[in-house]
Amino acid sequence: KKTALIAVAIGFIGVGIQFLSGHSSPEMAFAVYLIGAFVAGFSMCLLNTVVNPMLNTLGGGGNKGNQLIQVAGSVNSIGATIVPVLVGYLIGDAAKAQISDANPALFLAMGIFAIVFIVLFCMQIPEPHMVKENEAKTPDKHSALSFRHFILGAIAIFLYVGVEVGIPNFMNLFATSPEIGIDPTVAGSIVGTYWFLMMIGRLFGASFGAKISSKAMLSSAATVGMIFILIAIFAPATTKVSM
């Protein structure tokens, strides 16, 4: 709980720094914004570290806990579906936009962080590992890095997050480029559709997550994902579909 509260507070500060970049000198604006993005991203890393174990604990661990994580991830995807559309509408042409054009979105983000902080602070969250009394503490002879699956998992998450976040960012730039010429608001809707489909996948996974192992789910999703990415890479840029 304390880690989550610290993470939310850091996120509020990060978005605040991004807001200040709009009032900085033109020479410093980008650097200030980048610092704010780093601080906000650090907040997300902290939240990811603490929220998944918290959800797993609330679900009782095992496949049931994994199912609860999928449900919560679906809620996350709902927000990610709405935000690109909203920001695309607020900013308009990204090539001509100023940081100040995103102020309403930044204020909204800071408000959400503030509300989440208050709600988390007032809630009682079970933390079984914190209530063990008089437990003899002996140093573990194994470090986290001594487990092969931990190292491979860390590398996989590093690569996956780059793919997950990179695709919608490049998608938006590609769609609004002069060669393609899609309206920024429409482009934001397309990016929102990406997150919407991710939400569908999470809900689909949550529906039977208590019955199927996370390894089987990951293997299946990764295989299908690679197939579709290869299709996207080799399909001509002129290929379009009606949405």
Side-chain angles (χ1 to χ4, degrees):
K1 179 178 175 178
K2 288 180 181 178
T3 308
L5 288 171
I6 291 170
V8 171
I10 291 174
F12 182 92
I13 294 169
V15 177
I17 295 172
Q18 289 178 305
F19 166 74
L20 292 176
S21 68
H23 300 273
S24 304
S25 64
E27 296 79 16
M28 293 295 297
F30 179 71
V32 174
Y33 183 87
L34 205 60
I35 292 170
F38 175 82
V39 174
F42 185 67
S43 162
M44 295 300 104
C45 291
L46 281 172
L47 283 172
N48 280 328
T49 302
V50 70
V51 168
N52 285 345
M54 184 188 297
L55 289 168
N56 195 39
T57 300
L58 292 172
N63 289 344
K64 191 69 177 176
N66 180 47
Q67 184 178 38
L68 199 60
I69 291 173
Q70 295 295 329
V71 173
S74 302
V75 178
N76 180 39
S77 295
I78 293 173
T81 301
I82 297 170
V83 168
V85 182
L86 176 64
V87 174
Y89 171 76
L90 292 172
I91 292 179
D93 189 350
K96 300 176 182 177
Q98 303 293 323
I99 294 295
S100 56
D101 295 329
N103 281 350
L106 295 175
F107 290 145
L108 181 63
M110 286 190 284
I112 291 171
F113 273 124
I115 292 170
V116 170
F117 186 93
I118 294 169
V119 171
L120 270 177
F121 184 81
C122 296
M123 285 187 66
Q124 293 294 325
I125 300 173
E127 300 190 66
H129 64 284
M130 299 290 287
V131 296
K132 293 178 181 177
E133 298 179 357
N134 302 323
E135 183 181 9
K137 294 184 178 180
T138 56
D140 197 324
K141 62 180 180 179
H142 299 290
S143 70
L145 295 177
S146 64
F147 295 96
R148 178 172 169 267
H149 61 273
F150 173 80
I151 297 174
L152 293 174
I155 295 171
I157 290 173
F158 173 81
L159 295 172
Y160 168 76
V161 172
V163 173
E164 178 186 332
V165 178
I167 286 176
N169 286 335
F170 287 122
M171 187 190 303
N172 190 54
L173 292 171
F174 176 69
T176 55
S177 65
E179 294 80 6
I180 305 299
I182 295 177
D183 180 78
T185 305
V186 177
S189 300
I190 294 172
V191 175
T193 303
Y194 167 85
W195 295 109
F196 175 75
L197 292 172
M198 187 172 286
M199 178 193 71
I200 297 298
R202 280 171 163 158
L203 287 173
F204 185 68
S207 64
F208 53 80
K211 301 175 183 177
I212 299 178
S213 71
S214 56
K215 180 179 180 180
M217 292 176 68
L218 279 170
S219 300
S220 302
T223 302
V224 175
M226 285 191 291
I227 292 171
F228 277 109
I229 288 174
L230 287 171
I231 293 172
I233 289 172
F234 291 105
T238 52
T239 303
K240 295 182 179 180
V241 294
S242 176
M243 294 179 64

